[in-house]
Amino acid sequence: QTVRWHIELQPWASPTPSLNYEASRFLKYISTSQISCEHMNLNSLKGYSETTKKPWSVCLDERFSLIHRIRSKKCRLYSLGLGNGDNQFELSMANSGCEVHRFDPSIKSAHIQQGRHLWHHRLSIDWRDPNPAIAPHKLHSNTKKLGTVLNEFGHQKIDVLKADVESAEWKILENLILEDVVEQIGQLVFEVHIHWPGFEVSGNDSTVVRYWYSLLRELELKDFRLFHTYKDLSKPQIFLKKEAFNASSCYTLSWVNTRWK
């Protein structure tokens, strides 16, 4: 298997690069469900109360594996965050019998177990592993790639990967695609930020939007289908530092891997 270093970029949306065309294509893409999901709310799960601040929507339809894995108490959720205090979704999944691992560099101890099914890890999931040439105490926090963590934890699969990583999501998503880690995941629920390019994403505005779009098309090629979009209107209406395109700076997107059993 050859290692991929770059994702395949989609053709430009117009004959010459244009931010208007790229933005229009991208925003239409993230606002259009590719597959319908009838059961998305967790109210049907035991111990769940409707107090989440954000709609972290997972698909609980019978034709996908998640609901069956929850019932058989075999489901696993990884949650990537940065000092986010809203853990209602993680708690509800743990209460329903899922094994939940929350990764956040601001956690006080290396590993904390809360109840029977919820673990907190002082780890930041990144798109690269630490440079072995840099002394560990000089690194800001313990950062690792998701594939590395899966290997270290001995986990082959994640039923749900939830990520709210404040603009690191684009490079993390790229890493999951390039290393085929995404194929070990059943559903993705990502908060995406579009008010600036994101960490280590370079290029002019139209290039950045084409890159974002190409990443999401790569997910589609790997049989992921978008089933829910939430446009966060409580956030500024900014797209790449411009008040344009009637976009929110933040969307929560949910995909299901239709090939995943």
Side-chain angles (χ1 to χ4, degrees):
Q1 184 175 337
T2 55
V3 174
R4 293 175 64 195
W5 295 100
H6 304 286
I7 60 154
E8 198 72 39
L9 286 173
Q10 292 290 318
W12 292 100
S14 53
T16 53
S18 146
L19 177 59
N20 280 353
Y21 278 100
E22 293 304 322
S24 161
R25 174 171 72 169
F26 172 76
L27 290 167
K28 184 180 179 202
Y29 191 83
I30 65 170
S31 307
T32 310
S33 294
Q34 298 169 328
I35 198 168
S36 68
C37 177
E38 302 296 316
H39 306 284
M40 283 187 287
N41 87 11
L42 294 170
N43 286 349
S44 53
L45 301 180
K46 178 177 62 123
Y48 187 74
S49 60
E50 190 60 272
T51 52
T52 36
K53 296 178 189 151
K54 285 185 189 137
W56 298 104
S57 297
V58 289
C59 190
L60 300 168
D61 284 6
E62 296 285 337
R63 62 191 166 133
F64 300 122
S65 65
L66 182 60
I67 188 65
H68 306 287
R69 311 258 303 172
I70 289 173
R71 285 183 191 135
S72 62
K73 304 281 190 274
K74 286 185 178 154
C75 91
R76 179 180 293 131
L77 164 74
Y78 270 33
S79 167
L80 319 182
L82 292 168
N84 187 343
D86 178 17
N87 296 327
Q88 195 59 48
F89 177 74
E90 290 80 351
L91 287 168
S92 60
M93 292 292 275
N95 287 341
S96 67
C98 280
E99 175 190 329
V100 176
H101 295 272
R102 198 178 142 250
F103 298 90
D104 185 336
S106 66
I107 289 164
K108 300 282 185 287
S109 306
H111 305 284
I112 302 169
Q113 185 171 354
Q114 178 184 350
R116 284 179 58 201
H117 302 293
L118 178 57
W119 286 264
H120 303 271
H121 307 282
R122 190 176 59 207
L123 257 179
S124 175
I125 302 299
D126 202 357
W127 53 93
R128 62 202 153 194
D129 283 327
N131 182 341
I134 300 173
H137 62 270
K138 288 196 178 147
L139 295 171
H140 291 302
S141 62
N142 199 354
T143 63
K144 288 179 182 174
K145 294 188 295 192
L146 189 67
T148 304
V149 172
L150 283 168
N151 288 336
E152 288 180 1
F153 283 25
H155 294 162
Q156 298 299 313
K157 291 185 169 184
I158 307 170
D159 293 280
V160 181
L161 177 66
K162 172 199 162 188
D164 180 1
V165 288
E166 307 303 337
S167 300
E169 65 274 357
W170 299 110
K171 293 299 284 184
I172 289 173
L173 197 53
E174 181 187 63
N175 169 255
L176 298 183
I177 290 166
L178 291 178
E179 297 193 350
D180 291 329
V181 175
V182 77
E183 291 167 13
Q184 296 170 257
I185 300 167
Q187 297 192 25
L188 291 170
V189 193
F190 267 58
E191 188 171 279
V192 300
H193 302 84
I194 59 177
H195 57 291
W196 70 295
F199 293 107
E200 293 195 21
V201 177
S202 58
N204 63 21
D205 287 354
S206 52
T207 305
V208 166
V209 183
R210 179 194 185 199
Y211 164 75
W212 289 345
Y213 175 73
S214 301
L215 269 180
L216 302 188
R217 287 300 304 273
E218 288 255 2
L219 277 181
E220 196 181 329
L221 289 172
K222 292 193 177 280
D223 297 298
F224 279 83
R225 297 292 177 267
L226 189 67
F227 65 85
H228 188 253
T229 301
Y230 169 71
K231 180 179 178 180
D232 191 344
L233 294 173
S234 71
K235 296 283 172 71
Q237 307 283 293
I238 295 176
F239 186 93
L240 290 177
K241 302 182 182 168
K242 298 176 183 65
E243 291 186 23
F245 308 112
N246 193 23
S248 168
S249 57
C250 177
Y251 290 75
T252 307
L253 307 176
S254 301
W255 292 267
V256 60
N257 183 343
T258 55
R259 217 173 29 173
W260 217 67
K261 298 288 179 279

